[in-house]
Each structure stands twice: as C-alpha cells, then as structure tokens.
Amino acid sequence: MSKLSVLASTGRRPATLALVAVVALGLAACGGKERPRADLAASQVTTIGVNSYLWRASLDALSFMPLLQADSSGGVIITDWYANPSNPNERMKVTVSILDRDLRADALRVAASRQVAQGGGWVDAPVQAATVQKLEEIILTRARDLRRSAIRG
C-alpha cells in the first residue's frame, strides 16, 4: 500500500489532495523558458533607475570627454565641452538620456552641441545628424556586447 493511499484512508484526503496540487503546480512552473539571470538583473533589479547595459555603454563611449553630470537614477549623462587636440578650433558637448530599464533602441536619446572658435570666442554651429546617430549606434552596440558577455558568464 502506498503512503498516499494510507494518508487518504485515515481521513486526511483533503490535506493530501492539497499537497499533491501544490507539488504539481510547483513542478508545472519549472517548465518553460526562463530569462537568463544576468538579463533579468540588468533590466529589472538594478540599483540604478535605468538599464545598466545602456548606462555602462554610454559611460564607455563618452570616456574620452570630461563629465559634467552623471545621474544614474535619472539616466542622464552630460559632458563638459571637449575639443579634439587635432582640431582645437571646434568643441563638442553631449547629453545622453536613458529613458527605460529595458535594452531597446528607443530607450536611448543622444543630443550634441557644437561650437567653433571665431573672432576670439565660441560660436554655436550645427551638428550633423549623422554624428548623433553614429554615437547612438556605438552606445547600443556596446550595450548589446555587454549583455551578451554577462549572459555567457
């Protein structure tokens, strides 16, 4: 006689059925596809308010520029003016906003300002759209690489 039939015959049938149901539900929850822990940690359980891969990738991409502000809970990185030593008559300032906890292209917004030296001062100049798009592409590619590395372990 099995333990289950002994328990059922002693008047514990409702408790036994409840236990079997709980075990069955627990086992059923084991199936299916789980998200990798590293991915879950980055997008949902971070101590910063935004996607950690986008945050790290943004800091990496802008590492050559002096930072003016970096707010991880708000997802904003603002650089100070940077002049390339090979072109000292031009300087750039960049603002990166990370808008979401998920690693998505629309969770990233990059804005840039450019100035050129003219008459002893700095004058605002237009920034090519391709420059901003290229910077966004660099950040997104780096964020994807960081995510892949974290998932592989």
Side-chain angles (χ1 to χ4, degrees), residues 59 62 65-71 76-81 93-95:
L59 289 175
L62 300 174
M65 300 178 83
L67 291 181
L68 197 58
Q69 178 184 349
D71 176 15
V76 177
I77 299 170
I78 302 172
T79 69
D80 203 354
W81 290 103
K93 184 175 189 172
V94 176
T95 301

Side-chain angles (χ1 to χ4, degrees), residues 1-58:
M1 190 185 279
S2 72
K3 289 183 181 182
L4 189 58
S5 61
V6 170
L7 287 174
S9 66
T10 60
R12 296 186 187 185
R13 186 175 179 123
T16 303
L17 290 176
L19 179 62
V20 170
V22 168
V23 170
L25 283 174
L27 289 174
C30 289
K33 188 169 177 122
E34 290 184 27
R35 288 178 74 180
R37 289 182 189 251
D39 189 32
L40 179 63
S43 65
Q44 314 254 314
V45 193
T46 60
T47 57
I48 63 176
V50 295
N51 183 277
S52 63
Y53 300 127
L54 285 173
W55 179 256
R56 182 74 237 159
S58 298

